[in-house]
Amino acid sequence: MFVYLCLTNFSRMQDCKLIQLPKIVDNRGNLSFIESNKHIPFDIKRVYWIYDVPGGEFRGSHAFKEQNEFIIALSGSFDVHIDDGKQKTVFSLNRSYYGLYIPAGYWRQIENFSTNSLALVLSSTNFSEKDYIRNYEEFLKTKQA
Ligand code: TYD
């Protein structure tokens, strides 16, 4: 179903978690859904998706100061690499009825996209470039405080 490689027991990392979503099984086709503050612990302010990713490419490589997010593989599969500044974890997403919750403050990179994969990202904030930390050294400094 999915691969969950927790490489550490570091407690902070446990804030990132896979969340199972409702799945209404039907012979006509299955249906899943998400409600703010019910299935995921934040208000959804923005939805975006990543698609047509060429083989071998990766996305992300940044952290957010405030944005909480929930990532679902609506189609296909990909790996989400999470880094809290000390420990690293990889989550493999490949089903549309669960996703990965990532609070603010984690370095994350998405890679190993399968052909025709579709990554849906639900965000707790509107888009702001100021919310990004794109420099890894700068990210590590925020973790030293
Ligand atoms: P970015 O978040 O860096 O992409 P990824 O993390 O998937 O590699 O965004 C890529 C570009 O798109 C960047 O110039 C900002 C812009 N963008 C928006 O304008 N609005 C959005 O909601 C998002 C997510 C990105």
Side-chain angles (χ1 to χ4, degrees):
M1 302 293 279
F2 59 85
V3 177
Y4 172 26
L5 295 175
C6 186
L7 302 181
T8 79
N9 286 321
F10 192 60
S11 60
R12 180 91 166 80
M13 201 54 96
Q14 291 169 5
D15 294 340
C16 292
K17 58 185 178 187
L18 292 169
I19 297 177
Q20 191 88 7
L21 299 169
K23 182 179 181 184
I24 312 294
V25 177
D26 192 308
N27 289 336
R28 301 170 300 162
N30 300 331
L31 181 154
S32 289
F33 57 93
I34 301 171
E35 293 181 19
S36 293
N37 294 307
K38 188 169 177 184
H39 305 107
I40 54 174
F42 59 84
D43 273 327
I44 300 167
K45 285 267 183 63
R46 178 167 50 112
V47 178
Y48 64 94
W49 48 98
I50 299 166
Y51 53 100
D52 291 347
V53 178
E57 282 292 349
F58 64 87
R59 300 296 306 236
S61 262
H62 51 64
F64 294 110
K65 297 171 191 167
E66 290 187 17
Q67 174 181 312
N68 301 325
E69 61 185 0
F70 186 67
I71 305 176
I72 310 169
L74 275 190
S75 181
S77 63
F78 48 81
D79 297 332
V80 185
H81 292 245
I82 304 291
D83 179 346
D84 68 5
K86 290 183 178 163
Q87 311 287 339
K88 297 178 183 179
T89 302
V90 182
F91 293 87
S92 292
L93 301 182
N94 58 14
R95 290 289 186 276
S96 55
Y97 51 83
Y98 66 82
L100 177 63
Y101 169 63
I102 311 174
Y106 291 86
W107 191 266
R108 63 100 161 138
Q109 179 163 307
I110 311 176
E111 57 188 61
N112 196 25
F113 287 88
S114 68
T115 303
N116 291 329
S117 58
L118 171 59
L120 184 74
V121 184
L122 309 181
S123 168
S124 66
T125 64
N126 290 327
F127 175 75
S128 170
E129 187 59 42
K130 290 180 182 166
D131 194 43
Y132 284 76
I133 303 173
R134 293 190 183 274
N135 180 287
Y136 188 67
E137 298 307 316
E138 186 186 331
F139 166 71
L140 290 180
K141 281 182 192 162
T142 68
K143 296 297 172 189
Q144 289 166 3

